[in-house]
Amino acid sequence: MLEKCRRDDTCRVCGADDWIEVISFGSLPLANGFVDPADADEAQDAFPLDVIVCRRCRLMTLRHVVDPETLFKHYVYVSSDSDQIREHMRHIVGLATRRAALVPDDLVVEMGSNIGTQLAMFEAAGMRVAGVDPAANLAEIANERGIATDPDFFGPGPASRITEGQGRAKAVIGRQCFAHIDDVHRILDGVDVVLDDDGVLIIEVPYLLNLLDENQFDTIYHEHLSYFSLHTLSHLFGAHGLRVIDVERVAVHGGSIAVVAARETAARTPQPSVAALLALEEARGLLTEAPYRAFAERVTRVTEAVRTLVHGLVADGKRVAGYGAPSKGTQLLMACELTAQDITVCGDTTSLKHGKLLPGTHIPVLPPEEVAATEPDYYLLLAWNYTEEVVRKEHRFLAAGGKFIVPVPEPRIISVQSAKELV
Ligand SMILES: [Zn+2]
């Protein structure tokens, strides 16, 4: 399937071709490639998933790039409306308002704006908004709810269309999309077109240090091309005349960073947070090979431990279901080599996934209440970033003797007793 996937030996950030080889997961289907049961007998496209680190700029990335048209044109991910995400989106409105000194009528642009939930919050605060998202189905939903969204990949083209119609933006936001993008320079060329002289760019990405520290190997899949440190982002932004002026570690998506950058010509003084996080990254060895080697060893150990745990429960006659079917969950199941014999069904609230089979493992996805009706003894918590929220919501399941398996950073079991310490 090489026409849909190419090997790329040139670093997308700095152009070097000198790599540390970290770990290979073999060839796997796309984590978001849900299968229609009618097509279950057809072989799914599988692509290599090899993780490498650039020796020059320390970008952690994938050796192979799957064609974005294959990946994103019919993306089923609808941004979460969980309490945690809504609260976080409000936080981003506050951060942008502070750092860009936003006032009503200022323009806020979002790339990867999904169904427009974040922009709707800016609009409610009086700002003008414009979204860009390549998934035509999501852009259509956003437009229907009144958030003007250009169904395209963000870059100079969509940026020029926005500038011509509405002027330049005081804030450009990119939440949880930058890590998916191969041509990051094109994105930053687009930012250069649309960003006001004293505007700010806010890019939020899953944070490499969280990934390494917490064994989040399941967040490594084809859609996620880059795993950024602040070190690497500073290098990248600097090449485009942008300076990082603030950074926050935020709890979403298993631990992310929201990086605020401004034009170098804007003479903005960086907050102390920037030097502090760069110093932490150096102290934690991100500029050496050691943390990547140690990570690879832990991944091998944890995937084996999860598999052994689930196999043992199933052998004891326990019913194990999946809780949530996020992309990282499908990746975790594939990496742990679990099958529909082990995990009989996954419950997920996203209606677009109902009745479909998970990629690779072919585990069926049903609405959560239908999975609950099968009375599982254990749920493998695939959406582990919502552990506390789930434990609070599922107190009845726990009280009735049900248990959760949380797979990372190390597999552990949550019962009604241990849940009390969590919430
Ligand atoms: Zn590089």
Side-chain angles (χ1 to χ4, degrees), residues 11 29 40 127 132 176 210 237 254 307:
C11 175
M127 286 57 167
V132 182
Q176 304 292 341
N210 288 93
F237 291 167
R307 182 168 57 244

Side-chain angles (χ1 to χ4, degrees), residues 11-16 19 54-59 232 235:
C11 175
R12 79 173 50 83
V13 167
C14 77
W19 300 98
C54 173
R55 282 203 168 87
R56 190 198 284 172
C57 75
R58 298 291 149 171
L59 172 70
T232 304
H235 185 106

Side-chain angles (χ1 to χ4, degrees), residues 54-387:
C54 173
R55 282 203 168 87
R56 190 198 284 172
C57 75
R58 298 291 149 171
L59 172 70
M60 188 160 118
T61 182
L62 304 180
R63 169 88 74 190
H64 296 82
V65 177
V66 178
D67 169 36
E69 298 278 332
T70 305
L71 282 177
F72 297 121
K73 272 297 175 188
H74 297 285
Y75 207 39
V76 293
Y77 177 79
V78 176
S79 62
S80 168
D81 59 354
S82 76
D83 296 344
Q84 186 204 17
I85 292 286
R86 289 195 156 268
E87 180 63 34
H88 173 65
M89 286 179 174
R90 278 190 284 275
H91 181 77
I92 291 293
V93 173
L95 179 65
T97 303
R98 266 195 320 282
R99 292 287 165 246
L102 291 178
V103 294
D105 239 25
D106 278 345
L107 178 64
V108 177
V109 168
E110 187 180 13
M111 62 182 93
S113 51
N114 206 274
I115 61 169
T117 310
Q118 174 79 73
L119 283 178
M121 290 184 183
F122 280 103
E123 193 180 57
M127 286 57 167
R128 292 176 298 128
V129 299
V132 182
D133 198 296
N137 56 332
L138 301 181
E140 192 180 325
I141 296 171
N143 281 314
E144 277 167 10
R145 67 192 287 207
I147 303 297
T149 302
D150 190 352
D152 203 347
F153 291 94
F154 184 82
S160 298
R161 289 196 288 275
I162 291 169
T163 308
E164 281 158 21
Q166 300 175 77
R168 291 197 294 169
K170 278 285 161 55
V172 177
I173 316 278
R175 283 198 53 243
Q176 304 292 341
C177 60
F178 203 67
H180 296 55
I181 291 158
D182 185 18
D183 192 350
V184 287
H185 299 288
R186 187 168 160 272
I187 296 291
L188 293 170
D189 289 344
V191 170
D192 190 47
V193 169
V194 78
L195 188 66
D196 199 83
D197 287 345
D198 60 352
V200 300
L201 168 68
I202 299 181
I203 292 290
E204 181 188 297
V205 287
Y207 188 33
L208 178 62
L209 211 45
N210 288 93
L211 188 159
L212 296 177
D213 282 349
E214 294 155 38
N215 298 337
Q216 298 172 358
F217 63 88
D218 54 342
T219 64
I220 298 174
Y221 47 86
H222 300 96
E223 286 90 334
H224 288 172
L225 287 174
S226 303
Y227 306 84
F228 286 110
S229 60
L230 181 61
H231 180 89
T232 304
L233 279 176
S234 300
H235 185 106
L236 173 62
F237 291 167
H240 287 266
L242 296 166
R243 178 192 294 131
V244 176
I245 60 163
D246 196 6
V247 61
E248 286 186 6
R249 293 185 76 166
V250 291
V252 292
H253 292 274
S256 299
I257 44 175
V259 181
V260 187
R263 292 185 188 274
E264 283 171 352
T265 49
R268 302 278 291 267
T269 309
Q271 301 290 312
S273 56
V274 180
L277 198 57
L278 288 172
L280 176 67
E281 290 181 355
E282 197 167 348
R284 296 297 311 282
L286 289 194
L287 308 184
T288 70
E289 294 195 12
Y292 310 103
R293 301 268 176 244
F295 171 70
E297 283 166 22
R298 290 196 303 274
V299 171
T300 304
R301 183 169 51 74
V302 169
T303 49
E304 279 174 14
V306 172
R307 182 168 57 244
T308 305
L309 174 62
V310 173
H311 283 175
L313 292 169
V314 172
D316 282 348
K318 304 294 185 194
R319 265 194 299 264
V320 186
Y323 198 98
S327 306
K328 65 171 177 287
T330 70
Q331 170 60 21
L332 183 128
L333 293 165
M334 289 192 282
C336 295
E337 296 174 48
L338 292 168
T339 68
Q341 270 74 54
D342 309 311
I343 309 289
T344 48
V345 63
C346 275
D348 195 280
T349 53
T350 309
S351 57
L352 290 167
K353 296 178 184 174
H354 295 160
K356 298 272 174 47
L357 306 176
L358 294 190
T361 59
H362 284 193
I363 298 165
V365 186
L366 292 174
E369 57 277 13
E370 289 183 34
V371 176
T374 69
E375 300 188 335
D377 302 296
Y378 287 77
Y379 277 116
L380 178 59
L381 188 46
L382 298 169
W384 47 256
N385 46 321
Y386 295 111
T387 297

